[in-house]
């Protein structure tokens, strides 16, 4: 009998796999999951200035989408979910907020989504702890 092994992502902190464990636990416990995605649209690339990391993300197409009203070119792009997360993030217990542009939720509706559900305690996780995750606190 052969074994079926899942692809493991390796990094200094095993972030990808630890986030998968967190999403699996949320699904198992019936918790809501709120996602604050980071997307850039073509009109965002016309900004007059930006920080060094922001400029890098623009130059490599990180988080790029064709537009806010289309999923054309989304699948497999830098804006798409990692395949390992798709079963969790495309589930009924997930709320995807409007995208944020820089690091924090100041430009999206994440806080409103939480407030309207009277949620005042969260477990916060993400791919870049010293940027987007800390900015969402």
């Amino acid at each position: 009998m052969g074994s079926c092994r899942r692809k493991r992502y390796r990094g200094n902190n095993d972030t990808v796999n630890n986030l998968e464990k967190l999403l699996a636990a949320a699904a198992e416990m019936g918790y809501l999951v709120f996602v604050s995605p980071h997307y850039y649209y073509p009109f965002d690339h016309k900004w007059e200035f930006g920080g060094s990391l922001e400029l890098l993300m623009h130059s490599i197409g990180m988080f790029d989408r064709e537009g806010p009203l289309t999923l054309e070119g989304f699948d497999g792009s830098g804006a798409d979910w990692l395949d390992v997360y798709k079963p969790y993030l495309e589930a009924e217990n997930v709320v995807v907020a409007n995208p944020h542009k820089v690091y924090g939720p100041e430009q999206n509706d994440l806080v409103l989504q939480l407030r309207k559900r009277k949620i005042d305690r969260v477990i916060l996780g993400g791919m870049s702890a010293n940027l987007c995750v800390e900015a969402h606190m």
Side-chain angles (χ1 to χ4, degrees):
M1 195 149 116
S3 66
C4 179
R5 300 191 73 188
R6 295 196 50 200
K7 180 177 180 179
R8 297 277 303 167
Y9 294 89
R10 292 283 178 212
N12 290 341
N13 297 314
D14 209 19
T15 301
V16 172
N17 295 310
N18 286 328
L19 283 174
E20 181 187 11
K21 290 176 190 174
L22 185 61
L23 291 167
E28 184 178 321
M29 299 300 293
Y31 292 158
L32 289 173
V33 172
F34 293 81
V35 179
S36 177
H38 195 151
Y39 297 145
Y40 288 124
Y41 305 121
F43 47 81
D44 297 325
H45 289 274
K46 296 180 176 153
W47 294 347
E48 297 291 325
F49 63 92
S52 57
L53 182 57
E54 187 179 2
L55 295 173
L56 172 69
M57 290 188 290
H58 281 267
S59 73
I60 63 174
M62 186 180 283
F63 308 124
D64 276 3
R65 298 248 327 251
E66 293 294 319
L69 302 177
T70 182
L71 289 175
E72 181 182 335
F74 180 75
D75 192 38
S77 72
D80 194 5
W81 319 124
L82 289 177
D83 287 339
V84 69
Y85 297 153
K86 286 183 181 183
Y88 304 107
L89 296 179
E90 295 172 356
E92 294 286 322
N93 67 319
V94 175
V95 176
V96 180
N98 293 330
H100 65 275
K101 297 295 179 174
V102 186
Y103 305 118
E106 294 81 8
Q107 305 90 10
N108 71 6
D109 67 339
L110 178 63
V111 173
L112 176 68
Q113 293 290 344
L114 293 167
R115 187 179 299 132
K116 290 289 192 174
R117 289 171 175 80
K118 297 184 178 182
I119 295 172
D120 58 9
R121 284 182 276 163
V122 299
I123 298 170
L124 191 59
M127 300 294 278
S128 185
N130 64 327
L131 295 172
C132 295
V133 175
E134 285 184 6
H136 276 75
M137 290 204 249

